[in-house]
Amino acid sequence: MIKIELLKVFLSVADEGSFTKAAEKLEMSNQLVSKYISQLETHLNARLFNRTTRKVSLTEAGEKCRQHAKQILENVDNLEAQFGELQTTITGTLNISAPVSFSTLHLSKFISVFRKKYPEIELNIQLNDRKVDVIEEGFDVALRIGQLQSSSLVAKKIAPVRLVLCASPEYLIHNGTPSHPRELNPKHFLHYSYSSYDKTDNLLLNTLKSISQNKHPTIISNNGELLMAAAIAGEGYLVQPTFIAGHALRKGDLQIFLEDYEPEPIALYAVYPHRKLLSSKVRVFIDELSEFFGEKPYWDEF
């Protein structure tokens, strides 16, 4: 069965005479446009476009496909106009990629609320702290934490994420509380291996970057919760997002220091391949995420 999205992309390329212009019009990546056209050509077993370095034009098969595609989409529009108001249930499987610690600590709470409102949406949630390829790996949406780099994906900011330098009160009593980043003991740095301190002018982050690259911290892990437990046990200090450290800070198990050097907040983002072809299940998921966490997330209440 041919997906409606493929026909919409096909008609946009045909109308614009360019993959790049169609991608801009649809607010999606060139990669995804090419992928959709390739899928449609494979399904129809026909070449739909003549491609040169300067021009994209329809083949004979492409012209026939264009006529049929326009009629199909017009029929779909008429159907939606007549029966759209009767469709009150959003269904389907939503494929989500999300970071491990954030998901176990906070996304699970959101999912419970979301499922009560949208019980017909099936959730396939894959947890991984690496940066997944949303398109190639078939995700509808990915949650990412950080400062996003330039990308062909669409990103929506969900909530700010504060980064704090913290250690146990016992550690600070025993080792002293530094008043400047240069006073940090390199051997006591608990380093999160997925951290990236590139392109920053923050003195604290640059100091920690130098420690991680040149002075080899004693404990390195790809899991923030493990490092937080080590900090609570007095093993050292770490930079931690407050969505992980908030509970320990409220209890007094951890203490923030060097606040004057605290970096600018990063953020939680929802990223997805395109805006104009956004499905209802993705749209409501992102909208509900924003409402649940918001600009003043509950994990900063300490």
Side-chain angles (χ1 to χ4, degrees):
M1 180 180 294
I2 299 176
K3 294 183 179 180
I4 297 298
E5 289 86 352
L6 301 188
L7 296 181
K8 289 180 178 179
V9 172
F10 164 74
L11 283 180
S12 183
V13 175
D15 292 341
E16 298 296 328
S18 165
F19 281 66
T20 299
K21 290 181 179 179
E24 292 174 354
K25 180 180 178 181
L26 295 170
E27 296 184 341
M28 59 197 301
S29 67
N30 285 345
Q31 177 189 9
L32 192 57
V33 169
S34 296
K35 180 179 178 180
Y36 280 2
I37 296 302
S38 178
Q39 288 179 353
L40 183 58
E41 289 181 326
T42 299
H43 184 83
L44 297 176
N45 194 27
R47 184 163 56 88
L48 302 176
F49 292 101
N50 292 312
R51 303 168 175 85
T52 68
T53 55
R54 295 183 178 181
K55 186 179 180 182
V56 173
S57 60
L58 288 168
T59 62
E60 183 179 351
E63 288 287 357
K64 292 181 179 179
C65 182
R66 183 179 191 174
Q67 296 173 16
H68 288 291
K70 280 189 173 182
Q71 185 62 55
I72 290 170
L73 293 180
E74 286 176 5
N75 290 339
V76 169
D77 288 342
N78 290 335
L79 183 66
E80 290 177 342
Q82 293 183 42
F83 297 102
E85 294 182 1
L86 299 177
Q87 178 62 29
T88 59
T89 302
I90 301 175
T91 63
T93 299
L94 188 59
N95 298 300
I96 305 163
S97 172
V100 178
S101 293
F102 176 81
S103 299
T104 56
L105 293 172
H106 302 287
L107 188 61
S108 54
K109 299 175 184 178
F110 164 76
I111 292 303
S112 177
V113 174
F114 182 78
R115 288 281 298 148
K116 289 177 182 177
K117 295 184 69 172
Y118 300 97
E120 299 301 319
I121 297 180
E122 298 178 1
L123 301 176
N124 174 21
I125 306 172
Q126 302 296 315
L127 304 187
N128 202 315
D129 286 332
R130 70 177 176 83
K131 184 179 178 181
V132 301
D133 188 316
V134 176
I135 296 173
E136 289 300 320
E137 297 182 46
F139 289 107
D140 297 301
V141 61
L143 302 184
R144 290 181 180 166
I145 296 169
Q147 298 287 5
L148 292 192
Q149 303 297 319
S150 178
S151 170
S152 60
L153 299 172
V154 180
K156 176 178 174 58
K157 181 180 176 181
I158 302 299
V161 174
R162 183 183 173 192
L163 296 176
V164 295
L165 181 67
C166 51
S168 70
E170 291 75 18
Y171 171 86
L172 295 174
I173 290 172
H174 185 265
N175 294 277
T177 302
S179 59
H180 191 278
R182 64 171 172 265
E183 298 174 8
L184 293 169
N185 187 332
K187 293 183 179 180
H188 295 174
F189 178 38
L190 309 175
H191 178 50
Y192 178 60
S193 57
Y194 283 134
S195 292
S196 175
Y197 303 134
D198 295 338
K199 297 181 181 179
T200 178
D201 57 1
N202 179 265
L203 178 59
L204 174 60
L205 295 186
N206 283 332
T207 301
L208 297 179
K209 176 183 178 181
S210 177
I211 291 173
S212 65
Q213 292 180 342
N214 303 317
K215 300 181 180 179
H216 306 295
T218 302
I219 300 178
I220 302 173
S221 176
N222 65 350
N223 183 267
E225 292 173 89
L226 184 150
L227 293 174
M228 182 180 68
I232 292 172
E235 292 292 334
Y237 59 89
L238 76 168
V239 169
Q240 194 77 291
T242 50
F243 68 76
I244 294 181
H247 182 65
L249 292 168
R250 281 191 296 273
K251 291 177 60 181
D253 292 336
L254 290 177
Q255 181 177 323
I256 298 173
F257 64 103
L258 291 182
E259 286 187 79
D260 289 344
Y261 299 93
E262 184 176 310
E264 289 293 319
I266 54 177
L268 168 68
Y269 293 92
V271 299
Y272 45 98
H274 46 73
R275 180 178 286 114
K276 288 196 172 181
L277 300 180
L278 193 64
S279 65
S280 297
K281 61 186 178 182
V282 175
R283 190 180 305 279
V284 297
F285 180 78
I286 293 173
D287 289 346
E288 294 294 332
L289 267 178
S290 298
E291 183 176 342
F292 188 83
F293 295 116
E295 283 300 313
K296 295 182 179 180
Y298 62 82
W299 57 68
D300 279 339
E301 297 173 0
F302 54 82

